[in-house]
Amino acid sequence: PIRYFGIALPNFWGWESASLKALCSMVHWVVAWTFMSLVAIHAIAALQHLWARDGLWQRMWHWRRAT
């Protein structure tokens, strides 16, 4: 059974299927790692603009320098 915070969730499929569970687990794993990788790449690209001091970081955060 699939557990959510320690509580067994009901079986919505109506039957036990080890192959379906394995497929869903693999799809979940691939999608989760893909999403985390894209978030990390996005954050690294944003930091690259901070280090490059090309002005894009200030436009993203709407910082204004006191002159």
Side-chain angles (χ1 to χ4, degrees), residues 5 11-12 18 22 31 41 48-49 56-58 61-62 65:
F5 292 111
N11 185 0
F12 292 111
V31 170
I41 290 168
Q48 186 272 335
H49 287 288
L56 187 62
W57 185 266
Q58 285 77 19
W61 289 98
H62 304 289
R65 288 187 180 193

Side-chain angles (χ1 to χ4, degrees), residues 19-38:
S19 61
L20 181 60
K21 183 177 187 282
L23 174 67
C24 289
S25 293
M26 179 55 68
V27 168
H28 181 267
W29 186 84
V30 169
V31 170
W33 275 100
T34 301
F35 182 71
M36 288 188 296
S37 299
L38 289 173

